[in-house]
Amino acid sequence: MDEKSSSRIQILEKFRFYWLLPLASVLVWWSMLVALMGIWAGKGYRIYPDQNPSSHVPYISDIAASGIKPLFIACDAVQGVFFVLALMSERYLRHKGRLARNRYTAEKVLSGFAIVFAIAGQIGLLLLSILDTYRHHHQHIINVGIFVAGVGLAGFCSFVEFTLLRKKYYETRWLRFSYVLKGIWFFVALGLAIAFACLMHRDDDYAGAVVEWTLGYWYGFFSIVLVFDLLPASKKSQARERGQGYLFGMDSHTQPTPDAGPVRDSSSDATRYDGSVPQPAAVPLDKRDGMAAHSQF
């Protein structure tokens, strides 16, 4: 390995701010949605060419395709890159032990599938922004489905992975918190996606547009959950969790198991979370000689 590759690896291992990746993703995404709503309001809440006149709320794509398509494409591409990098960073940090390690193959497979589905979803988002609803309506709708399905499956895989992690690191409050957030996000997103599909099928454009905007903002909360997932990788968070007995950066042979409870060390009144039995302190040689001489009398 050359010096450049070694230095890059050292930078990755020392970097503490991986949580900025999903934060940047959600900031770009929500800023884009707010900008689209602002443009629509600034134009007097106009009716767009592809919008149903009876619907008072346009779809996101209706606004994006009306003269601000380059902005829509750029924001979708940037947030997608940050989103995928956040999921990849989580896999990397678990592999390095800076987050709770995956101990079983199933967890690693689920994490890998989450990344693959996220990439597929982001490709669908990029394509739907390029193939706008005015000129390529059919292809646009297909890519909307790819985006929703890809991100939804990524969220599901991540939720199942955390279900398995939670069983092993049952004392880690941070994992429990992320597990609950992922579950809430996935089931709410699933309900919104089903409602959106049904409303689209019924040609209820007003309700469908409202649900689409809600689903769009709700998608951003996935990145917020990823921020909480990556925060423990920072050194300050790791030190705080170790102080509470929750170790993230451990080797696989020293990880806590549900059967190995805390062991109280009576000599130092310290608690060990690796299930090991504390050994008595070694006696210096000079004291051993004195003890042996004392025992002869």
Side-chain angles (χ1 to χ4, degrees), residues 6 11 23 54 71 79 91 118 137 140 145 158 192 215-216 224-225:
S6 178
I11 292 173
L23 184 61
S54 62
L71 174 65
Q79 75 82 29
R91 174 84 282 278
H137 183 74
H140 179 84
S158 185
L192 289 172
L215 186 59
I224 297 295
V225 177

Side-chain angles (χ1 to χ4, degrees), residues 146-248:
I146 294 174
F147 167 62
V148 173
V151 173
L153 288 171
F156 174 74
C157 291
S158 185
F159 171 65
V160 176
E161 178 196 1
F162 269 66
T163 303
L164 300 176
L165 282 170
R166 175 177 167 269
K167 292 181 180 180
K168 295 190 297 294
Y169 298 94
Y170 66 101
E171 291 181 327
T172 308
R173 289 177 293 180
W174 206 285
L175 277 176
R176 291 203 306 267
F177 183 59
S178 292
Y179 163 77
V180 172
L181 289 181
K182 285 179 183 289
I184 293 173
W185 182 90
F186 172 74
F187 288 110
V188 172
L190 179 63
L192 289 172
I194 293 174
F196 179 62
C198 293
L199 292 169
M200 289 282 291
H201 181 71
R202 291 171 50 188
D203 292 328
D204 190 344
D205 290 331
Y206 174 71
V210 171
V211 173
E212 185 194 41
W213 282 97
T214 305
L215 186 59
Y217 278 103
W218 185 252
Y219 160 66
F221 282 102
F222 194 161
S223 295
I224 297 295
V225 177
L226 291 177
V227 171
F228 286 104
D229 290 347
L230 297 175
L231 269 176
S234 65
K235 291 183 179 180
K236 290 184 179 179
S237 295
Q238 279 189 327
R240 181 169 61 251
E241 296 294 338
R242 283 194 177 93
Q244 296 173 355
Y246 310 132
L247 306 185
F248 289 99

Side-chain angles (χ1 to χ4, degrees), residues 12 18-22 24-25 77-93 115 118-119 122 226 230:
L12 288 174
Y18 287 96
W19 55 270
L20 289 176
L21 295 172
S25 176
V78 171
Q79 75 82 29
V81 170
F82 282 125
F83 182 80
V84 172
L85 286 177
L87 288 174
M88 289 181 172
S89 297
E90 184 183 359
R91 174 84 282 278
Y92 170 77
L93 293 170
I115 295 172
I119 293 174
Q122 296 303 326
L226 291 177
L230 297 175

Side-chain angles (χ1 to χ4, degrees), residues 98-115:
R98 290 177 61 183
L99 293 175
R101 286 183 183 271
N102 295 120
R103 294 178 60 192
Y104 299 113
T105 303
E107 298 167 358
K108 298 178 182 179
V109 170
L110 286 167
S111 178
F113 273 126
I115 295 172

